[in-house]
């Protein structure tokens, strides 16, 4: 009987072309990431058509390198997991098409995988003993979701943003005050030099939803009206209020569900201030989990991990699998 399961993960939802081999859902044998950040920097953000073309150029070499670094032959692979949404439709299609071609040519199971489920699964790689149920705050450039992870394949959305995703707000603030792209890390670094002395609005709802449009607009208006305002203080104040909103809703959900395990996921979970404030919750008896930095941003290891649990659950995709750019967290 075969004891181990090897999944090849393919990720191309935005501007990273990535392939990874993951053993038993948690052991990363390779995780190759071809980033396009330098290419898109000059445009102040990701240009979808350019991203797609670069995915096409990179994907074959990235997959080959992942197999080589893992020291494994393709015939040892048990399944091929690829991101089919959410993301940029052209970028997604590159990874989906490549995965379908491999699946057909090699007669390997195809597992269409939700990008958001991948971000959640990144925690399983960093924290070998983490098991559901737990609460997960997914914070990235395109998403802000508070999710109850009931099992490896069962999720319940408790709250989400009603407008801008938190990472989108970071990027827009960075662009307006002249920090450039990618905005999140630049705001985080500059905030360390400032003090949160500027009063900014915080949005409250009766439920667990979020809103970051108001604070983003307030920061932009302040910058326009008072261009000599200290940018470091502005970044520190913005970061503080955003983090307070994230923590307030997360704690509210944790108390309602009587859950003590809280995980962070997504690119913004790499933010040093946000992490520090969540880690501080351990003083209140909460267990805080978050992926190592390389697994916070888009990568194929997290897709292979999420795909592994779908594989165990019997999930299979056929060759009609298509890119779904607006796929919800509910999507398989």
């Amino acid at each position: 009987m075969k004891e181990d399961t090897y999944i090849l993960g393919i990720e191309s939802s935005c501007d990273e072309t990535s392939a990874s081999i993951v053993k038993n859902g948690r052991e990363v044998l390779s995780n190759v990431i071809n980033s396009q950040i330098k290419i898109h920097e000059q445009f102040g953000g990701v240009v979808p058509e350019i991203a797609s073309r670069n995915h096409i150029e990179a994907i074959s070499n990235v997959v080959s390198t992942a197999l080589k670094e893992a020291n494994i032959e393709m015939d040892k692979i048990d399944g091929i997991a690829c991101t089919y949404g959410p993301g940029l439709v052209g970028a997604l299609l590159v990874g989906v098409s490549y995965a379908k071609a491999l699946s057909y040519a090699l007669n390997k199971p195809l597992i269409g995988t939700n990008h958001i489920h991948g971000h959640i699964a990144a925690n399983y790689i960093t924290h070998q003993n983490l098991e559901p149920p737990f609460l997960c705050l997914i914070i990235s450039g395109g998403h802000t979701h508070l999710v109850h992870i009931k099992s490896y394949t069962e999720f319940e959305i408790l709250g989400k943003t009603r407008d801008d995703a938190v990472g989108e707000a970071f990027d827009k603030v960075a662009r307006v005050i002249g920090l450039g792209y990618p905005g999140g890390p630049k705001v985080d670094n500059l905030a360390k030099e400032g003090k949160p002395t500027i009063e900014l609005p915080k949005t409250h709802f009766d439920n667990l939803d979020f809103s970051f449009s108001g604070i983003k607009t307030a920061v932009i208006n302040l910058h326009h009206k008072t261009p000599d305002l200290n940018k470091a203080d502005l970044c520190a104040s913005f970061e503080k209020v955003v983090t307070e909103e994230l923590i307030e809703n997360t704690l509210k959900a944790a108390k309602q569900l009587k859950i003590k395990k809280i995980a962070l996921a997504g690119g913004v979970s790499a933010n040093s201030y946000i992490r520090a404030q969540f880690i501080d919750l351990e003083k209140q008896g909460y267990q805080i989990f978050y992926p190592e930095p390389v697994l916070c941003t888009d990568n194929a290891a997290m897709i292979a991990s999420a795909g592994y649990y779908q594989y165990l659950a019997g999930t299979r995709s056929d060759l009609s699998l298509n890119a779904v750019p607006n796929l919800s967290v509910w999507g398989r």
Side-chain angles (χ1 to χ4, degrees):
M1 182 178 177
K2 191 173 186 295
E3 294 183 357
D4 297 316
T5 300
Y6 298 90
I7 300 294
L8 164 62
I10 295 175
E11 157 63 23
S12 67
S13 65
C14 191
D15 61 334
E16 271 89 22
T17 315
S18 182
S20 172
I21 311 297
V22 174
K23 176 182 173 182
N24 299 331
R26 307 223 179 196
E27 184 180 345
V28 178
L29 304 183
S30 65
N31 188 27
V32 180
I33 304 171
N34 182 76
S35 177
Q36 300 177 26
I37 286 179
K38 292 296 181 184
I39 296 171
H40 297 280
E41 259 182 349
Q42 59 187 307
F43 304 108
V46 177
V47 180
E49 294 82 0
I50 294 175
S52 300
R53 288 201 296 269
N54 279 277
H55 283 310
I56 293 170
E57 292 175 5
I59 192 163
S60 289
N61 184 56
V62 166
V63 171
S64 297
T65 303
L67 289 164
K68 184 177 180 180
E69 288 188 3
N71 193 27
I72 192 170
E73 299 295 330
M74 186 61 86
D75 62 355
K76 299 293 185 185
I77 297 297
D78 293 284
I80 301 166
C82 67
T83 303
Y84 77 107
L88 302 174
V89 64
L92 287 166
L93 280 169
V94 176
V96 169
S97 300
Y98 196 89
K100 288 200 296 186
L102 280 179
S103 172
Y104 178 76
L106 302 168
N107 194 28
K108 298 289 183 180
L110 177 68
I111 308 150
T113 303
N114 189 313
H115 181 77
I116 305 303
H117 297 180
H119 276 305
I120 295 166
N123 280 287
Y124 299 138
I125 296 171
T126 300
H127 306 282
Q128 298 286 310
N129 297 320
L130 176 63
E131 295 179 349
F134 59 89
L135 194 61
C136 188
L137 178 66
I138 303 161
I139 41 178
S140 68
H143 303 90
T144 304
H145 285 85
L146 193 53
V147 184
H148 182 197
I149 313 302
K150 296 182 175 181
S151 73
Y152 288 111
T153 57
E154 186 181 7
F155 313 91
E156 179 187 2
I157 300 175
L158 305 173
K160 59 184 179 179
T161 181
R162 295 191 182 183
D163 40 61
D164 293 353
V166 63
E168 182 182 358
F170 268 91
D171 284 341
K172 287 180 178 177
V173 165
R175 188 180 304 125
V176 167
I177 67 176
L179 297 183
Y181 174 85
K186 295 179 186 294
V187 170
D188 187 20
N189 288 332
L190 186 56
K192 293 172 184 175
E193 301 174 17
K195 296 180 180 179
T197 54
I198 300 169
E199 188 173 338
L200 294 170
K202 188 191 302 179
T203 305
H204 297 277
F205 296 114
D206 291 334
N207 60 12
L208 296 170
D209 282 351
F210 303 91
S211 172
F212 302 104
S213 178
I215 186 172
K216 174 203 70 179
T217 302
V219 170
I220 291 171
N221 288 341
L222 265 175
H223 176 69
H224 288 325
K225 291 176 183 176
T226 319
D228 59 345
L229 198 66
N230 185 291
K231 291 183 180 180
D233 290 348
L234 191 57
C235 286
S237 303
F238 167 76
E239 201 171 56
K240 179 177 182 290
V241 174
V242 164
T243 304
E244 286 174 353
E245 184 173 342
L246 293 173
I247 286 180
E248 285 171 11
N249 278 15
T250 303
L251 284 181
K252 195 186 301 182
K255 289 171 183 175
Q256 287 176 5
L257 296 172
K258 296 185 169 84
I259 285 179
K260 287 291 187 179
K261 291 194 292 187
I262 298 172
L264 304 178
V268 182
S269 66
N271 179 283
S272 63
Y273 180 81
I274 292 175
R275 279 197 181 194
Q277 296 307 302
F278 270 91
I279 290 170
D280 201 49
L281 296 179
E282 292 179 344
K283 296 174 183 175
Q284 300 180 37
Y286 291 97
Q287 292 177 274
I288 305 299
F289 304 89
Y290 47 87
E292 58 188 290
V294 70
L295 297 176
C296 290
T297 52
D298 295 347
N299 67 91
M302 69 182 196
I303 300 304
S305 178
Y308 166 78
Y309 292 105
Q310 294 287 355
Y311 177 85
L312 292 186
T315 299
R316 303 291 184 271
S317 303
D318 58 33
L319 296 180
S320 67
L321 182 69
N322 201 0
V324 183
N326 296 316
L327 184 67
S328 73
V329 174
W330 292 108
R332 187 194 74 242

